[in-house]
């Protein structure tokens, strides 16, 4: 996935379900292998599990990454990486979303203040993301990552989901 996204020096990279930070660090490893500058890449992630989010921060330290922000929290229910009243935008978004989530708060999502509900989001988000209440593998797990990618007019963003 990292090679497909081709992260570049100076970019912001986000994983909304970062776990222990493996996919974020794979972007750093990719740049290192190519002999490109990696120290100016900004890594961002959010992870629900306390211990796992702590491991992600530790992994960043151990790999020499200084510019990172890994926060703890439930991304679909309470995104923490925001600027003012909007979700932060990133150059590269990669994720392995929790497709198997069984309980989806459809009512809360219908009035989502971040514009991730199909009626609130841009046309592309309505077409690409699933609707809450559909089978678990299609429960809207893509809405958040797609909402955080930089828009094409502002330089474009790239994303991949496994």
């Amino acid at each position: 996935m990292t090679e497909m996204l081709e992260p570049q020096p100076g970019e912001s990279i986000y994983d909304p379900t970062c776990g222990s930070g493996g996919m974020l660090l794979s972007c750093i490893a990719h740049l290192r292998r190519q002999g490109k500058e990696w120290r100016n890449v900004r890594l961002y992630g959010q992870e629900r599990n306390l211990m796992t989010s702590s491991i992600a921060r530790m992994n960043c330290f151990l790999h020499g990454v200084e510019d990172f922000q890994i926060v703890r929290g439930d991304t679909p229910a309470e995104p923490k990486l925001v600027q003012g009243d909007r979700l932060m935008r990133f150059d590269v978004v990669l994720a392995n979303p929790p497709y198997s989530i069984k309980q989806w708060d459809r009512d809360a999502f219908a009035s989502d203040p971040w514009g991730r509900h199909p009626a609130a989001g841009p046309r592309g988000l309505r077409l690409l993301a699933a609707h809450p209440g559909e089978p678990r593998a299609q429960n809207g797990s893509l809405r958040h990552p797609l909402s955080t990618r930089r828009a094409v007019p502002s330089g474009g963003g790239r994303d991949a989901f496994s």
Side-chain angles (χ1 to χ4, degrees):
M1 192 173 354
T2 300
E3 290 180 14
M4 180 180 73
L5 290 172
E6 297 181 354
Q8 298 298 314
E11 289 189 320
S12 59
I13 303 172
Y14 174 53
D15 184 345
T17 57
C18 73
S20 61
M23 288 202 299
L24 291 170
L25 292 171
S26 73
C27 293
I28 298 297
H30 178 75
L31 290 169
R32 284 179 169 169
R33 280 192 306 274
Q34 293 185 329
K36 293 182 178 179
E37 180 58 52
W38 57 271
R39 291 175 293 261
N40 61 356
V41 171
R42 298 169 318 280
L43 300 182
Y44 298 87
Q46 185 164 336
E47 171 55 40
R48 183 178 184 175
N49 183 283
L50 173 64
M51 292 302 289
T52 309
S53 63
S54 299
I55 292 169
R57 286 188 291 279
M58 181 186 69
N59 275 336
C60 287
F61 282 120
L62 292 174
H63 286 86
V65 178
E66 294 180 9
D67 196 352
F68 68 90
Q69 184 177 357
I70 307 292
V71 295
R72 179 179 175 239
D74 183 347
T75 303
E78 186 182 3
K80 304 260 182 163
L81 295 170
V82 297
Q83 289 178 322
D85 62 349
R86 297 189 55 183
L87 295 172
M88 288 177 67
R89 305 284 186 196
F90 306 94
D91 299 307
V92 175
V93 179
L94 69 168
N96 182 10
Y99 294 113
S100 64
I101 195 168
K102 293 178 183 174
Q103 296 174 340
W104 188 263
D105 190 347
R106 185 180 191 137
D107 293 334
F109 199 69
S111 60
D112 182 52
W114 306 106
R116 297 173 296 176
H117 186 271
R123 178 174 163 75
L125 293 181
R126 289 197 304 268
L127 294 175
L128 292 173
H131 295 277
E134 289 182 353
R136 285 187 304 225
Q138 302 172 2
N139 66 10
S141 298
L142 299 181
R143 290 181 194 263
H144 181 81
L146 290 170
S147 300
T148 59
R149 179 187 59 203
R150 283 200 197 285
V152 174
S154 66
R158 303 175 310 284
D159 52 50
F161 313 107
S162 64

